[in-house]
Amino acid sequence: MIDLRSDTVTLPTNEMKKFIINSPLGDDVYGEDPSVNLLQKKIAKIFNKEAALFVPSGTMANLISVLTHCSRGDEVILGDKSHIFYYEAGGISAFGGIHSHQLKNDDDGTIKINDIENSIRDVGNDHFPQTKLICLENTHNACYGSAIDSDYFSDVKEVANKNNLSIHLDGARIFNAAIKLNKSVDELTKDCDTISCCLSKGLSAPVGSVILGSKNFILKAKHIRKALGGGMRQAGLIASAGIFSLDNMINRLEDDHKNATILAKQLSDIKNIKININQVHTNIIFIYNRHQNISDTKLLSKLEKENIKIDYKGNSKFRLVTHSGFKKSDIESVVKVFKEILKDK
Ligand SMILES: *Cc1c(COP(=O)(O)O)cnc(C)c1O
């Protein structure tokens, strides 16, 4: 099976499994799991933040972060294509009573600075919720996996500072952004107060995300993690996979980006696929089915019959994501299958 639905489908390598088995464990709710502690220390250092917190998922990392920044009735500024708004079951509203102010995401994943400035509420007017937080995303999943450079964050930071707001970055794929822009993650995220980062995507750990921020923030976040049921006992068993990922899986993301570029280029030569290869930035490719007689569902089922899975977004749009389980040699077979299925009949 060639599974291109997401980089979440990555499986731990044999070396990773060996590393996991040999990792020291303890009860992390007591703060006594050496592997969790090592992971948190290690990743805090990489991001040059005071502290880190290991959590079960990226969704919980974002939820805890927003709940830590905001109180009930506060307002968060975020993009209308952001993962937090679109794909996290409305958690910040459901569990935090937090109001979201959705602003247009441009194709490059940014929100116009002007739009952000204009949406910040006047303080002291009873009509308004209080703006507390700006949430950004890098790389931006739904915006073609685009990597956003640090100057944009400096501009947002200026606005945030002027208005006493914090910035949270959904950095599920921040290492992809760093590789793409040839910058360190700490340089890329220096203007963000807090960051969430997935270990279970391109970094190929089976489970886990982290939140990064100040010592105080992480202390409060840890309390909320417990309330949400995210306090895990011998969590070193999964945290150690994250340690392995940080040591071994970051630089190889470059391969995923290269494979995505090659795959996109070759798919773009197929007549009934529409694809903008200028909008392939990292490991995420969006394609459109333009075949007159092959419906989207038919395309999906035909692909599955050939042992290929891709992600359907509706309205003839599909997403393909490259990852460590997808080899360069898989490109040829995928292109061949697409060509056969989508040829004019
Ligand atoms: C995957 C993803 C998340 C959520 O991570 P899960 O571990 O699947 O909950 C958050 N933000 C972005 C941008 C993502 O791509």
Side-chain angles (χ1 to χ4, degrees):
M1 179 64 71
I2 298 177
D3 195 341
L4 287 162
R5 287 173 301 170
S6 176
D7 44 12
T8 55
V9 302
T10 45
L11 297 172
T13 60
N14 285 332
E15 296 77 43
M16 188 186 278
K17 285 182 192 162
K18 261 184 226 150
F19 187 81
I20 291 170
I21 289 296
N22 292 313
S23 58
L25 303 176
D27 189 327
D28 182 52
V29 175
Y30 291 119
E32 290 172 5
D33 189 299
S35 299
V36 172
N37 291 338
L38 176 60
L39 170 70
Q40 291 174 164
K41 204 170 148 194
K42 201 177 176 72
I43 198 159
K45 195 164 172 218
I46 291 173
F47 280 83
N48 196 22
K49 296 286 182 205
E50 281 176 16
L53 185 68
F54 184 57
V55 297
S57 69
T59 300
M60 197 190 281
N62 285 331
L63 177 60
I64 291 172
S65 299
V66 176
L67 291 181
T68 306
H69 280 290
C70 303
S71 303
R72 296 190 77 79
D74 285 343
E75 191 166 74
V76 173
I77 293 171
L78 42 66
D80 62 354
K81 297 192 185 70
S82 68
H83 198 278
I84 296 178
F85 172 63
Y86 222 92
Y87 292 114
E88 299 185 7
I92 60 169
S93 156
F95 307 118
I98 294 154
H99 196 49
S100 68
H101 198 146
Q102 307 118 37
L103 303 179
K104 183 178 176 288
N105 271 125
D106 286 330
D107 278 354
D108 64 358
T110 63
I111 304 167
K112 288 197 177 64
I113 300 293
N114 243 345
D115 289 353
I116 294 176
E117 263 181 322
N118 292 335
S119 71
I120 298 168
R121 310 285 193 155
D122 291 337
V123 180
N125 183 328
D126 280 349
H127 292 89
F128 295 144
Q130 284 304 291
T131 313
K132 281 285 167 63
L133 179 67
I134 303 167
C135 290
L136 301 168
E137 189 176 315
N138 201 12
T139 62
H140 201 294
N141 186 339
C143 294
Y144 310 95
S146 40
I148 305 169
D149 214 338
S150 39
D151 46 349
Y152 175 72
F153 293 93
S154 308
D155 293 348
V156 178
K157 182 68 176 169
E158 215 180 295
V159 176
N161 280 348
K162 242 190 268 168
N163 294 278
N164 211 13
L165 307 180
S166 300
I167 300 176
H168 171 70
L169 178 71
D170 178 351
R173 295 189 183 81
I174 189 62
F175 284 103
N176 292 83
I179 292 284
K180 166 74 184 188
L181 298 166
N182 200 17
K183 290 205 167 143
S184 62
V185 285
D186 73 298
E187 198 183 346
L188 262 187
T189 60
K190 65 182 189 307
D191 289 317
C192 303
D193 298 284
T194 60
I195 304 138
S196 61
C197 166
C198 285
L199 302 163
S200 59
K201 302 240 159 114
L203 296 185
S204 306
V207 194
S209 282
V210 286
I211 304 169
L212 298 126
S214 69
K215 266 194 186 129
N216 259 341
F217 183 90
I218 293 300
L219 209 62
K220 203 175 153 197
K222 188 160 168 276
H223 187 210
I224 293 174
R225 182 185 70 174
K226 190 77 183 96
L228 293 175
M232 300 178 287
R233 301 297 177 172
Q234 282 73 40
L237 207 58
I238 46 179
S240 55
I243 296 170
F244 185 91
S245 293
L246 294 176
D247 287 341
N248 299 283
M249 306 300 278
I250 295 173
N251 288 331
R252 62 151 308 286
L253 292 173
E254 178 96 52
D255 296 341
D256 297 344
H257 298 177
K258 279 187 191 148
N259 287 339
T261 306
I262 301 168
L263 176 61
K265 172 79 189 63
Q266 296 195 11
L267 288 175
S268 74
D269 292 335
I270 298 174
K271 192 182 156 214
N272 290 311
I273 291 180
K274 196 191 112 187
I275 172 173
N276 184 347
I277 54 169
N278 296 321
Q279 280 178 333
V280 179
H281 305 289
T282 50
N283 67 331
I284 296 177
I285 306 168
F286 286 99
I287 66 169
Y288 298 84
N289 172 23
R290 288 286 179 258
H291 199 288
Q292 297 291 331
N293 306 318
I294 308 264
S295 69
D296 294 346
T297 41
K298 198 159 183 187
L299 172 57
L300 280 174
S301 66
K302 279 178 177 284
L303 285 169
E304 279 230 36
K305 231 179 259 166
E306 300 296 330
N307 291 320
I308 295 170
K309 284 186 180 174
I310 63 174
D311 186 26
Y312 183 42
K313 296 290 186 191
N315 259 333
S316 75
K317 186 175 181 178
F318 300 82
R319 190 186 72 163
L320 286 68
V321 185
T322 55
H323 52 75
S324 61
F326 180 80
K327 304 278 169 269
K328 196 176 176 200
S329 53
D330 292 327
I331 296 174
E332 197 186 323
S333 13
V334 170
V335 172
K336 204 173 140 199
V337 168
F338 267 99
K339 224 177 232 167
E340 178 59 30
I341 295 174
L342 291 176
K343 73 181 178 209
D344 285 324
K345 300 227 163 71

